[in-house]
Amino acid sequence: MLPSDDPRGQAVIDIASRLFAAFGYDGTSLHDIAEASGEDLAWLQQRFGDKRELYLTVVDHGSQMERGIVADVLGALPAADPEEARAVVYRLSTRLLEFFLANPQVPSLWAHRWLGDAADIPGLEETYRDPVIDLVCDALRPAAEAGLIDDRVNLELTVQTLIWSVSGFMHGEINADGHGPASTDPQALQPFLAHLRQLIDRMLTPRGA
């Protein structure tokens, strides 16, 4: 956990996040981070520990920001009309996409992970990714049980599908016109958000509705 009154430590976290996002855990050394941050290697080790511990701090920091957004959006669901469940998913998808665009290192860390990076650090998904997915699924389950969204869908895979779609958009694999990296093209954002909304509708609308 990074103290909120530690700007020096936060600066190191920001630089380490960018390096891990660019080169992966396996391709980044503690010396690289010390050099890029202008910090003494001995201080870095004393403050954060070894590379593994610093990497876990980076992952935890990004995950806490992401979880905060999810909790904030889902917090409006219990007080809202249950029929607003899909609207909450729209808002959640938009907020997370905006967060990832502003903090591209967060999805990039997971993209490296999916390609086998940091394979010697087990349990990251169970510790950081799965609880966020569970939060969303738990919030949507009452609406599914009430027949307001399709109770035949696998909620976990539905949420995963949205994550995969956003990841594909962030890494230039999805673009409305097929030209250039989608996440760097402002004109691609609205068509992609419209696509996400259509995807959500088709996955969650009850049969016959």
Side-chain angles (χ1 to χ4, degrees), residues 184-203:
T184 63
D185 179 5
Q187 294 185 345
L189 181 58
Q190 290 308 315
F192 179 68
L193 284 173
H195 167 75
L196 272 186
R197 179 165 183 154
Q198 185 180 57
L199 185 64
I200 291 165
D201 281 340
R202 294 193 175 184
M203 287 191 295

PDB file of all heavy atoms in Angstrom, residues 184-203:
ATOM      1  N   THR A 184      -5.456   5.626 -30.070  1.00  0.00           N
ATOM      2  CA  THR A 184      -4.844   6.938 -30.302  1.00  0.00           C
ATOM      3  C   THR A 184      -5.655   7.781 -31.278  1.00  0.00           C
ATOM      4  O   THR A 184      -5.251   8.888 -31.616  1.00  0.00           O
ATOM      5  CB  THR A 184      -3.406   6.774 -30.852  1.00  0.00           C
ATOM      6  OG1 THR A 184      -3.461   6.104 -32.121  1.00  0.00           O
ATOM      7  CG2 THR A 184      -2.547   5.976 -29.894  1.00  0.00           C
ATOM      8  N   ASP A 185      -6.787   7.283 -31.723  1.00  0.00           N
ATOM      9  CA  ASP A 185      -7.626   7.978 -32.690  1.00  0.00           C
ATOM     10  C   ASP A 185      -8.894   8.466 -32.003  1.00  0.00           C
ATOM     11  O   ASP A 185      -9.778   7.663 -31.691  1.00  0.00           O
ATOM     12  CB  ASP A 185      -7.975   7.029 -33.843  1.00  0.00           C
ATOM     13  CG  ASP A 185      -8.870   7.691 -34.891  1.00  0.00           C
ATOM     14  OD1 ASP A 185      -9.133   8.907 -34.763  1.00  0.00           O
ATOM     15  OD2 ASP A 185      -9.293   6.991 -35.828  1.00  0.00           O
ATOM     16  N   PRO A 186      -9.008   9.776 -31.723  1.00  0.00           N
ATOM     17  CA  PRO A 186     -10.189  10.279 -31.009  1.00  0.00           C
ATOM     18  C   PRO A 186     -11.497   9.952 -31.717  1.00  0.00           C
ATOM     19  O   PRO A 186     -12.526   9.767 -31.073  1.00  0.00           O
ATOM     20  CB  PRO A 186      -9.951  11.798 -30.963  1.00  0.00           C
ATOM     21  CG  PRO A 186      -8.477  11.970 -31.146  1.00  0.00           C
ATOM     22  CD  PRO A 186      -8.045  10.837 -32.041  1.00  0.00           C
ATOM     23  N   GLN A 187     -11.465   9.862 -33.045  1.00  0.00           N
ATOM     24  CA  GLN A 187     -12.693   9.584 -33.794  1.00  0.00           C
ATOM     25  C   GLN A 187     -13.137   8.130 -33.640  1.00  0.00           C
ATOM     26  O   GLN A 187     -14.262   7.790 -33.987  1.00  0.00           O
ATOM     27  CB  GLN A 187     -12.484   9.925 -35.263  1.00  0.00           C
ATOM     28  CG  GLN A 187     -12.275  11.413 -35.527  1.00  0.00           C
ATOM     29  CD  GLN A 187     -12.181  11.739 -36.999  1.00  0.00           C
ATOM     30  OE1 GLN A 187     -12.001  10.854 -37.837  1.00  0.00           O
ATOM     31  NE2 GLN A 187     -12.312  13.013 -37.331  1.00  0.00           N
ATOM     32  N   ALA A 188     -12.255   7.279 -33.127  1.00  0.00           N
ATOM     33  CA  ALA A 188     -12.616   5.874 -32.963  1.00  0.00           C
ATOM     34  C   ALA A 188     -13.347   5.613 -31.649  1.00  0.00           C
ATOM     35  O   ALA A 188     -13.986   4.570 -31.491  1.00  0.00           O
ATOM     36  CB  ALA A 188     -11.354   5.001 -33.026  1.00  0.00           C
ATOM     37  N   LEU A 189     -13.269   6.564 -30.696  1.00  0.00           N
ATOM     38  CA  LEU A 189     -13.809   6.315 -29.359  1.00  0.00           C
ATOM     39  C   LEU A 189     -15.324   6.161 -29.364  1.00  0.00           C
ATOM     40  O   LEU A 189     -15.855   5.180 -28.825  1.00  0.00           O
ATOM     41  CB  LEU A 189     -13.401   7.447 -28.417  1.00  0.00           C
ATOM     42  CG  LEU A 189     -13.881   7.306 -26.970  1.00  0.00           C
ATOM     43  CD1 LEU A 189     -13.383   6.011 -26.358  1.00  0.00           C
ATOM     44  CD2 LEU A 189     -13.421   8.500 -26.144  1.00  0.00           C
ATOM     45  N   GLN A 190     -16.040   7.105 -29.961  1.00  0.00           N
ATOM     46  CA  GLN A 190     -17.505   7.037 -29.930  1.00  0.00           C
ATOM     47  C   GLN A 190     -18.051   5.818 -30.668  1.00  0.00           C
ATOM     48  O   GLN A 190     -18.963   5.154 -30.157  1.00  0.00           O
ATOM     49  CB  GLN A 190     -18.097   8.338 -30.473  1.00  0.00           C
ATOM     50  CG  GLN A 190     -17.885   9.535 -29.550  1.00  0.00           C
ATOM     51  CD  GLN A 190     -18.349   9.273 -28.126  1.00  0.00           C
ATOM     52  OE1 GLN A 190     -19.450   8.721 -27.905  1.00  0.00           O
ATOM     53  NE2 GLN A 190     -17.540   9.658 -27.152  1.00  0.00           N
ATOM     54  N   PRO A 191     -17.549   5.474 -31.871  1.00  0.00           N
ATOM     55  CA  PRO A 191     -18.022   4.242 -32.505  1.00  0.00           C
ATOM     56  C   PRO A 191     -17.764   3.009 -31.646  1.00  0.00           C
ATOM     57  O   PRO A 191     -18.591   2.087 -31.608  1.00  0.00           O
ATOM     58  CB  PRO A 191     -17.233   4.190 -33.813  1.00  0.00           C
ATOM     59  CG  PRO A 191     -16.889   5.601 -34.105  1.00  0.00           C
ATOM     60  CD  PRO A 191     -16.665   6.243 -32.764  1.00  0.00           C
ATOM     61  N   PHE A 192     -16.627   2.986 -30.942  1.00  0.00           N
ATOM     62  CA  PHE A 192     -16.344   1.831 -30.101  1.00  0.00           C
ATOM     63  C   PHE A 192     -17.284   1.771 -28.904  1.00  0.00           C
ATOM     64  O   PHE A 192     -17.776   0.698 -28.537  1.00  0.00           O
ATOM     65  CB  PHE A 192     -14.888   1.855 -29.620  1.00  0.00           C
ATOM     66  CG  PHE A 192     -14.552   0.691 -28.719  1.00  0.00           C
ATOM     67  CD1 PHE A 192     -14.515  -0.601 -29.223  1.00  0.00           C
ATOM     68  CD2 PHE A 192     -14.308   0.894 -27.371  1.00  0.00           C
ATOM     69  CE1 PHE A 192     -14.229  -1.685 -28.393  1.00  0.00           C
ATOM     70  CE2 PHE A 192     -14.019  -0.178 -26.540  1.00  0.00           C
ATOM     71  CZ  PHE A 192     -13.976  -1.471 -27.047  1.00  0.00           C
ATOM     72  N   LEU A 193     -17.578   2.931 -28.302  1.00  0.00           N
ATOM     73  CA  LEU A 193     -18.531   2.951 -27.198  1.00  0.00           C
ATOM     74  C   LEU A 193     -19.920   2.508 -27.662  1.00  0.00           C
ATOM     75  O   LEU A 193     -20.623   1.791 -26.944  1.00  0.00           O
ATOM     76  CB  LEU A 193     -18.598   4.360 -26.589  1.00  0.00           C
ATOM     77  CG  LEU A 193     -17.427   4.761 -25.699  1.00  0.00           C
ATOM     78  CD1 LEU A 193     -17.523   6.229 -25.303  1.00  0.00           C
ATOM     79  CD2 LEU A 193     -17.364   3.884 -24.450  1.00  0.00           C
ATOM     80  N   ALA A 194     -20.311   2.920 -28.864  1.00  0.00           N
ATOM     81  CA  ALA A 194     -21.594   2.478 -29.419  1.00  0.00           C
ATOM     82  C   ALA A 194     -21.586   0.968 -29.632  1.00  0.00           C
ATOM     83  O   ALA A 194     -22.588   0.281 -29.386  1.00  0.00           O
ATOM     84  CB  ALA A 194     -21.870   3.206 -30.732  1.00  0.00           C
ATOM     85  N   HIS A 195     -20.443   0.449 -30.081  1.00  0.00           N
ATOM     86  CA  HIS A 195     -20.306  -0.994 -30.270  1.00  0.00           C
ATOM     87  C   HIS A 195     -20.427  -1.719 -28.927  1.00  0.00           C
ATOM     88  O   HIS A 195     -21.111  -2.755 -28.832  1.00  0.00           O
ATOM     89  CB  HIS A 195     -18.948  -1.305 -30.912  1.00  0.00           C
ATOM     90  CG  HIS A 195     -18.578  -2.749 -30.869  1.00  0.00           C
ATOM     91  ND1 HIS A 195     -19.165  -3.690 -31.697  1.00  0.00           N
ATOM     92  CD2 HIS A 195     -17.682  -3.422 -30.101  1.00  0.00           C
ATOM     93  CE1 HIS A 195     -18.647  -4.883 -31.434  1.00  0.00           C
ATOM     94  NE2 HIS A 195     -17.752  -4.748 -30.479  1.00  0.00           N
ATOM     95  N   LEU A 196     -19.774  -1.194 -27.883  1.00  0.00           N
ATOM     96  CA  LEU A 196     -19.869  -1.817 -26.561  1.00  0.00           C
ATOM     97  C   LEU A 196     -21.312  -1.844 -26.073  1.00  0.00           C
ATOM     98  O   LEU A 196     -21.769  -2.848 -25.521  1.00  0.00           O
ATOM     99  CB  LEU A 196     -19.010  -1.048 -25.555  1.00  0.00           C
ATOM    100  CG  LEU A 196     -17.542  -1.422 -25.406  1.00  0.00           C
ATOM    101  CD1 LEU A 196     -16.924  -0.642 -24.259  1.00  0.00           C
ATOM    102  CD2 LEU A 196     -17.349  -2.913 -25.199  1.00  0.00           C
ATOM    103  N   ARG A 197     -22.020  -0.742 -26.298  1.00  0.00           N
ATOM    104  CA  ARG A 197     -23.417  -0.685 -25.841  1.00  0.00           C
ATOM    105  C   ARG A 197     -24.258  -1.726 -26.583  1.00  0.00           C
ATOM    106  O   ARG A 197     -25.096  -2.403 -25.976  1.00  0.00           O
ATOM    107  CB  ARG A 197     -23.982   0.718 -26.064  1.00  0.00           C
ATOM    108  CG  ARG A 197     -25.425   0.843 -25.629  1.00  0.00           C
ATOM    109  CD  ARG A 197     -25.849   2.275 -25.503  1.00  0.00           C
ATOM    110  NE  ARG A 197     -27.226   2.340 -25.024  1.00  0.00           N
ATOM    111  CZ  ARG A 197     -27.742   3.354 -24.356  1.00  0.00           C
ATOM    112  NH1 ARG A 197     -26.993   4.377 -24.044  1.00  0.00           N
ATOM    113  NH2 ARG A 197     -29.008   3.350 -23.977  1.00  0.00           N
ATOM    114  N   GLN A 198     -24.042  -1.856 -27.882  1.00  0.00           N
ATOM    115  CA  GLN A 198     -24.773  -2.857 -28.653  1.00  0.00           C
ATOM    116  C   GLN A 198     -24.419  -4.261 -28.181  1.00  0.00           C
ATOM    117  O   GLN A 198     -25.293  -5.139 -28.066  1.00  0.00           O
ATOM    118  CB  GLN A 198     -24.443  -2.702 -30.142  1.00  0.00           C
ATOM    119  CG  GLN A 198     -25.256  -3.622 -31.043  1.00  0.00           C
ATOM    120  CD  GLN A 198     -24.909  -3.432 -32.500  1.00  0.00           C
ATOM    121  OE1 GLN A 198     -23.750  -3.577 -32.891  1.00  0.00           O
ATOM    122  NE2 GLN A 198     -25.902  -3.075 -33.300  1.00  0.00           N
ATOM    123  N   LEU A 199     -23.142  -4.474 -27.867  1.00  0.00           N
ATOM    124  CA  LEU A 199     -22.702  -5.774 -27.366  1.00  0.00           C
ATOM    125  C   LEU A 199     -23.380  -6.091 -26.038  1.00  0.00           C
ATOM    126  O   LEU A 199     -23.868  -7.214 -25.823  1.00  0.00           O
ATOM    127  CB  LEU A 199     -21.178  -5.752 -27.202  1.00  0.00           C
ATOM    128  CG  LEU A 199     -20.495  -7.059 -26.800  1.00  0.00           C
ATOM    129  CD1 LEU A 199     -20.681  -8.115 -27.880  1.00  0.00           C
ATOM    130  CD2 LEU A 199     -19.011  -6.814 -26.552  1.00  0.00           C
ATOM    131  N   ILE A 200     -23.428  -5.108 -25.150  1.00  0.00           N
ATOM    132  CA  ILE A 200     -24.084  -5.293 -23.859  1.00  0.00           C
ATOM    133  C   ILE A 200     -25.561  -5.612 -24.047  1.00  0.00           C
ATOM    134  O   ILE A 200     -26.111  -6.526 -23.415  1.00  0.00           O
ATOM    135  CB  ILE A 200     -23.895  -4.038 -22.990  1.00  0.00           C
ATOM    136  CG1 ILE A 200     -22.430  -3.898 -22.580  1.00  0.00           C
ATOM    137  CG2 ILE A 200     -24.788  -4.090 -21.744  1.00  0.00           C
ATOM    138  CD1 ILE A 200     -22.076  -2.536 -22.033  1.00  0.00           C
ATOM    139  N   ASP A 201     -26.235  -4.862 -24.928  1.00  0.00           N
ATOM    140  CA  ASP A 201     -27.659  -5.101 -25.188  1.00  0.00           C
ATOM    141  C   ASP A 201     -27.901  -6.528 -25.656  1.00  0.00           C
ATOM    142  O   ASP A 201     -28.822  -7.211 -25.186  1.00  0.00           O
ATOM    143  CB  ASP A 201     -28.183  -4.134 -26.238  1.00  0.00           C
ATOM    144  CG  ASP A 201     -28.468  -2.750 -25.669  1.00  0.00           C
ATOM    145  OD1 ASP A 201     -28.632  -2.657 -24.432  1.00  0.00           O
ATOM    146  OD2 ASP A 201     -28.515  -1.779 -26.436  1.00  0.00           O
ATOM    147  N   ARG A 202     -27.101  -6.971 -26.597  1.00  0.00           N
ATOM    148  CA  ARG A 202     -27.325  -8.298 -27.181  1.00  0.00           C
ATOM    149  C   ARG A 202     -26.994  -9.420 -26.198  1.00  0.00           C
ATOM    150  O   ARG A 202     -27.607 -10.490 -26.254  1.00  0.00           O
ATOM    151  CB  ARG A 202     -26.508  -8.445 -28.466  1.00  0.00           C
ATOM    152  CG  ARG A 202     -26.999  -7.490 -29.555  1.00  0.00           C
ATOM    153  CD  ARG A 202     -26.441  -7.799 -30.904  1.00  0.00           C
ATOM    154  NE  ARG A 202     -27.046  -6.927 -31.911  1.00  0.00           N
ATOM    155  CZ  ARG A 202     -26.801  -7.017 -33.203  1.00  0.00           C
ATOM    156  NH1 ARG A 202     -25.961  -7.942 -33.673  1.00  0.00           N
ATOM    157  NH2 ARG A 202     -27.386  -6.198 -34.069  1.00  0.00           N
ATOM    158  N   MET A 203     -26.039  -9.171 -25.301  1.00  0.00           N
ATOM    159  CA  MET A 203     -25.705 -10.205 -24.325  1.00  0.00           C
ATOM    160  C   MET A 203     -26.698 -10.267 -23.180  1.00  0.00           C
ATOM    161  O   MET A 203     -26.975 -11.347 -22.660  1.00  0.00           O
ATOM    162  CB  MET A 203     -24.294  -9.952 -23.762  1.00  0.00           C
ATOM    163  CG  MET A 203     -23.165 -10.263 -24.733  1.00  0.00           C
ATOM    164  SD  MET A 203     -21.517 -10.273 -23.951  1.00  0.00           S
ATOM    165  CE  MET A 203     -21.365  -8.548 -23.464  1.00  0.00           C
TER     166      MET A 203
END
